[in-house]
């Protein structure tokens, strides 16, 4: 990707960016944005399906059949013949992206949504039944991400800093003790990748690159995105689009349900700026799942992006990481000591 390449953003890119920046759900989308067979092929490869492998195509057809059975048996829908019995699986994706919002488009979109959920469930079940550790999965994902970052740098995007980290046990304990919702299953950032790029414009280009080469937009976790860095005006400027035209297109891609923001991190300062999202990234594990090919599992990770100027500001004053940890530790002690019940009228609550 040259510096000019990213400017050729497609509607599919903008739809994916909405998923990341707003935490919308793919299940609430009214259409897809696959313009041609090449776009479908690229998306399937991103999801780690090898479209030249008959076993992978067979698996896609199995998912399609399961989805059709679910829609017809459970919900009693009558699907158009070309959606129920497509000559090739690609045609369902293309029908779902048709600008003609008729029955074929609507049922194709519904079928893909069910296929998505079924595939995700199967990937999760596969990991439970496969002899591979969480650490091994993290190593495989880290290697893949490092490869994408190297290619992104070669494409001309300035990556000033890149860090991959697995949250330590002490940090996990403090995080859970500080939260009311203290179940370990609700920690989404055990594995985190942090990327600092040169400029605000490059933030948009970086996001698009990641969504084209690493993270299928369908596996961005809904309601877990935070963004106080990039707005529609920034995106219009980054992609050299007329603001009024871009805003109309951007709003037209909104999902059918209102956006639900995650709770604010109460230990972060109001001045802290970043883009943060959680995704389940697909990985092939055929080598450790004998007989399950195509074996596709998912590894959950958090990705944080920030531009160089925002990164500098984030380390000043109240936004600094040291003060963030200080506020978190104060809350942990407050809860451990049960001060909410034991405090007298004159007691002061620790800084939170």
């Amino acid at each position: 990707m040259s510096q000019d390449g990213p400017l050729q953003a497609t509607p599919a890119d903008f739809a994916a960016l909405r998923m990341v920046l707003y935490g919308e759900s793919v299940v609430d989308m009214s259409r897809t944005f696959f313009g041609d067979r090449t776009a479908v092929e690229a998306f399937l490869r991103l999801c780690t399906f090898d479209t030249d492998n008959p076993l992978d195509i067979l698996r896609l057809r199995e998912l399609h059949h399961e989805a059709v059975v679910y829609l017809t048996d459970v919900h009693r829908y009558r699907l158009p013949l070309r959606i129920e019995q497509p000559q090739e699986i690609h045609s369902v994706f293309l029908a779902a992206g048709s600008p003609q919002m008729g029955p074929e488009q609507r049922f194709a979109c519904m079928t893909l949504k069910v296929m998505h959920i079924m595939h995700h469930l199967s990937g999760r079940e596969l990991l439970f039944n496969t002899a591979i550790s969480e650490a091994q999965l993290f190593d495989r994902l880290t290697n893949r991400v490092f490869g994408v970052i190297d290619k992104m740098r070669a494409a001309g995007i300035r990556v000033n800093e890149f860090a991959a980290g697995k949250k330590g046990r002490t940090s996990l304990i403090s995080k859970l003790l500080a939260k009311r919702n203290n179940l370990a299953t609700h920690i989404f950032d055990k594995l985190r990748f942090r990327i600092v790029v040169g400029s605000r414009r490059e933030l948009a280009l970086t996001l698009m690159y990641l969504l084209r080469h690493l993270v299928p937009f369908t596996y961005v976790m809904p309601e877990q995105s935070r963004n106080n860095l990039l707005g529609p005006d920034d995106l219009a400027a980054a992609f050299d689009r007329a603001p009024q035209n871009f805003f109309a297109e951007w709003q037209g891609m909104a999902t059918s349900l209102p956006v639900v923001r995650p709770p604010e991190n109460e230990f972060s300062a109001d001045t802290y700026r970043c883009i943060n999202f959680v995704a389940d990234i697909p990985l092939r594990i055929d080598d450790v799942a004998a007989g399950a090919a195509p074996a596709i599992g998912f590894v959950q990770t958090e990705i944080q992006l920030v531009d160089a100027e925002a990164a500098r500001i984030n380390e000043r004053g109240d936004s600094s990481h040291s003060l963030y940890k200080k506020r978190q530790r104060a809350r942990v002690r407050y809860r451990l000591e049960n001060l909410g019940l034991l405090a007298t009228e004159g007691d002061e609550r620790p800084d939170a």
Side-chain angles (χ1 to χ4, degrees):
M1 183 186 296
S2 67
Q3 282 296 328
D4 293 332
L7 298 179
Q8 306 304 314
T10 67
D13 292 317
F14 294 139
L17 285 168
R18 282 196 69 100
M19 293 288 124
V20 165
L21 296 176
Y22 294 167
E24 296 177 333
S25 172
V26 67
V27 176
D28 298 318
M29 292 180 68
S30 60
R31 60 168 294 198
T32 63
F33 295 90
F34 302 111
D36 52 33
R37 183 185 175 90
T38 300
V40 176
E41 292 272 348
F43 174 74
L44 291 174
R45 284 195 300 272
L46 186 60
C47 295
T48 73
F49 281 103
D50 180 357
T51 54
D52 292 325
N53 188 332
L55 287 178
D56 287 31
I57 295 298
L58 178 61
R59 176 56 183 149
L60 286 167
R61 285 198 166 274
E62 288 173 349
L63 285 169
H64 172 266
H65 175 70
E66 289 181 70
V68 167
V69 170
Y70 172 82
L71 290 170
T72 55
D73 286 7
V74 176
H75 297 285
R76 303 299 180 186
Y77 288 119
R78 296 183 63 183
L79 276 60
L81 185 62
R82 290 204 296 179
I83 303 305
E84 184 175 351
Q85 300 177 30
Q87 290 187 349
E88 61 174 359
I89 199 66
H90 298 68
S91 62
V92 181
F93 287 83
L94 295 174
S98 171
Q100 305 298 322
M101 308 293 278
E104 279 195 5
Q105 186 278 334
R106 185 165 60 94
F107 281 110
C109 201
M110 291 166 60
T111 302
L112 289 181
K113 291 175 182 180
V114 179
M115 289 174 64
H116 160 71
I117 295 298
M118 289 177 166
H119 178 53
H120 198 203
L121 282 173
S122 296
R124 283 292 185 181
E125 291 169 1
L126 177 67
L127 292 182
F128 279 117
N129 297 310
T130 302
I132 186 169
S133 68
E134 187 177 70
Q136 289 173 308
L137 288 169
F138 286 174
D139 285 344
R140 292 187 183 207
L141 178 59
T142 299
N143 289 335
R144 183 176 170 190
V145 175
F146 268 88
V148 170
I149 295 297
D150 287 343
K151 291 177 182 177
M152 190 162 66
R153 281 176 164 145
I157 296 175
R158 292 176 298 165
V159 180
N160 292 8
E161 297 177 33
F162 169 66
K166 186 176 183 294
K167 191 176 284 291
R169 186 172 178 82
T170 298
S171 293
L172 289 173
I173 292 169
S174 293
K175 183 166 187 172
L176 288 170
L177 285 171
K179 292 160 59 82
R180 281 188 175 274
N181 191 345
N182 54 15
L183 296 178
T185 52
H186 293 156
I187 289 185
F188 302 125
D189 61 345
K190 285 194 289 185
L191 182 64
R192 171 188 284 181
F193 298 98
R194 183 173 186 268
I195 305 169
V196 181
V197 298
S199 67
R200 180 77 66 91
R201 174 179 180 273
E202 285 171 304
L203 275 178
L205 306 185
T206 299
L207 270 177
M208 192 171 75
Y209 195 96
L210 294 176
L211 290 164
R212 284 184 174 183
H213 299 279
L214 178 67
V215 183
F217 74 95
T218 47
Y219 296 109
V220 173
M221 185 175 292
E223 302 179 10
Q224 292 299 320
S225 294
R226 291 182 175 86
N227 164 43
N228 52 14
L229 270 179
L230 283 184
D233 51 343
D234 299 300
L235 295 172
F239 297 113
D240 197 25
R241 301 287 294 272
Q244 62 273 20
N245 296 337
F246 177 80
F247 295 156
E249 183 178 1
W250 184 253
Q251 292 302 322
M253 290 179 175
T255 55
S256 57
L257 294 180
V259 174
V260 178
R261 306 289 186 189
E264 292 296 326
N265 189 329
E266 59 185 306
F267 309 118
S268 292
D270 292 339
T271 55
Y272 190 84
R273 297 287 181 266
C274 73
I275 297 170
N276 209 80
F277 65 97
V278 179
D280 266 358
I281 299 180
L283 288 180
R284 291 294 289 245
I285 55 172
D286 300 57
D287 58 318
V288 294
I296 302 173
F298 295 91
V299 183
Q300 190 174 94
T301 187
E302 181 183 73
I303 298 177
Q304 184 182 97
L305 293 99
V306 67
D307 63 273
E309 181 182 2
R312 286 192 295 271
I313 295 173
N314 286 345
E315 282 305 313
R316 296 175 188 165
D318 208 35
S319 295
S320 70
H321 185 67
S322 60
L323 289 180
Y324 170 90
K325 299 302 289 186
K326 180 180 178 181
R327 289 189 289 269
Q328 186 187 58
R329 287 194 296 269
R331 171 58 59 83
V332 170
R333 293 193 297 272
Y334 179 79
R335 297 194 73 200
L336 286 174
E337 296 170 22
N338 203 16
L339 294 182
L341 295 177
L342 300 179
T344 64
E345 185 176 343
D347 287 336
E348 292 186 3
R349 174 175 170 170
D351 179 24

